[in-house]
Amino acid sequence: MDDNIIGLLESLVVLLVNSKFSEIVARNENGRLSQSEIEAALREYPGIISLPPESAYRSVYVYDIYDGATGARKSEFDLWYDGEVSDLTLSAEIKKNSSGELVITIEDIHVL
């Protein structure tokens, strides 16, 4: 697993857990979801979102998308609620921006 991808994912999850939704939008990491859609997806799931243990990031599912220019990948990561893994999944895309830096954007937050 690429440590850069884990770092981006971990940073995004910390923002979600700490309800820093406007910061997610300011960083253009919200993807196609609006700030209110992100808030609603997390609020409507029963319980309270919590930080996963460090080891949870090692089980993120990452798969390549055919796009050699951006090195795009998709990831699926189960969010944690009340200190336990849930079936609410953060789907995100990780790719290189025009400057060649890896960036992450939310694709969806949904129950799998």
Side-chain angles (χ1 to χ4, degrees):
M1 177 59 53
D2 185 324
D3 285 341
N4 291 327
I5 291 173
I6 290 174
L8 287 169
L9 179 62
E10 195 169 357
S11 173
L12 180 56
V13 170
V14 166
L15 292 175
L16 290 170
V17 169
N18 291 304
S19 301
K20 303 281 187 186
F21 307 116
S22 60
E23 189 172 334
I24 292 169
V25 172
R27 292 164 61 156
N28 291 317
E29 294 181 352
N30 56 301
R32 63 178 186 81
L33 299 182
S34 69
Q35 180 173 331
S36 60
E37 288 171 323
I38 294 169
E39 289 178 48
L42 298 178
R43 184 180 59 245
E44 291 168 4
Y45 193 85
I48 298 171
I49 190 169
S50 55
L51 279 175
E54 200 70 32
S55 60
Y57 294 101
R58 296 288 168 197
S59 64
V60 63
Y61 183 74
V62 176
Y63 48 100
D64 293 336
I65 304 168
Y66 184 72
D67 184 350
T70 64
R73 296 182 192 95
K74 301 269 186 183
S75 69
E76 302 283 341
F77 182 74
D78 292 330
L79 296 172
W80 284 58
Y81 272 74
D82 300 325
E84 296 184 6
V85 68
S86 74
D87 59 356
L88 188 65
T89 302
L90 169 65
S91 297
E93 181 179 62
I94 298 107
K95 65 182 178 183
K96 292 177 188 163
N97 64 14
S98 58
S99 304
E101 301 169 319
L102 279 179
V103 295
I104 189 167
T105 54
I106 296 172
E107 293 271 306
D108 202 3
I109 298 173
H110 54 108
V111 174
L112 277 185

